[in-house]
Amino acid sequence: IPIICIGETYKEKLSKKTNLVISESLNALLPEKGKFIIAYEPRWAIGKGITPTLSEIKSVHKVIRNILNKKGFNNTPILYGASITQDNANAITNLPNVDGLLIGGASLKKETFIPIIESVR
């Protein structure tokens, strides 16, 4: 199942264009039918140890869910991925419309990956 990753740059975030970028990305990338997964990965946070606030993640995931529902993809999972740690994973996975995590660099070492898994059990 393909994973469609979308996210804004830091400049777009500062310009308050996050929702526009997300909407335009989804509308350009969504297939007409089939199974896929969406991952929100703010480009400015990937690998930098910076994570959006829970409120920001919640807001973007709501925008994504609304677009998916309008297009008939009501059951499509939406993942969050960028600078996930054992300290923030549980709080992120408990947000509405966050169906899981897309863990990047932290998944490469058991010392960082296992604590993330354990934090969301």
Side-chain angles (χ1 to χ4, degrees):
I1 298 175
I3 299 175
I4 300 171
C5 299
I6 56 174
E8 77 282 17
T9 65
Y10 192 62
K11 183 178 178 181
E12 292 164 337
K13 173 187 167 38
L14 291 179
S15 299
K16 304 213 182 287
K17 293 182 179 178
T18 297
N19 289 348
L20 177 64
V21 170
I22 296 303
S23 298
E24 288 178 347
S25 297
L26 273 179
N27 287 320
L29 296 170
L30 286 181
E32 291 185 27
K33 61 181 181 177
K35 289 187 177 185
F36 56 91
I37 296 169
I38 298 293
Y40 170 53
E41 292 195 290
R43 292 167 48 192
W44 53 270
I46 297 171
K48 299 197 174 61
I50 306 168
T51 307
T53 65
L54 294 176
S55 177
E56 289 171 325
I57 296 169
K58 180 180 174 182
S59 175
V60 172
H61 277 249
K62 182 177 181 181
V63 168
I64 295 169
R65 177 56 61 208
N66 288 340
I67 292 169
L68 291 173
N69 288 349
K70 284 180 188 174
K71 303 260 185 184
F73 296 111
N74 305 40
N75 297 319
T76 298
I78 307 170
L79 309 179
Y80 173 77
S83 296
I84 299 164
T85 67
Q86 72 183 54
D87 296 327
N88 64 22
N90 189 50
I92 293 170
T93 59
N94 282 307
L95 292 172
N97 300 308
V98 175
D99 300 310
L101 302 171
L102 183 62
I103 303 169
S107 70
L108 300 176
K109 299 177 190 168
K110 68 179 182 178
E111 297 82 16
T112 52
F113 192 50
I114 292 172
I116 292 171
I117 294 168
E118 291 173 345
S119 75
V120 297
R121 285 189 179 174

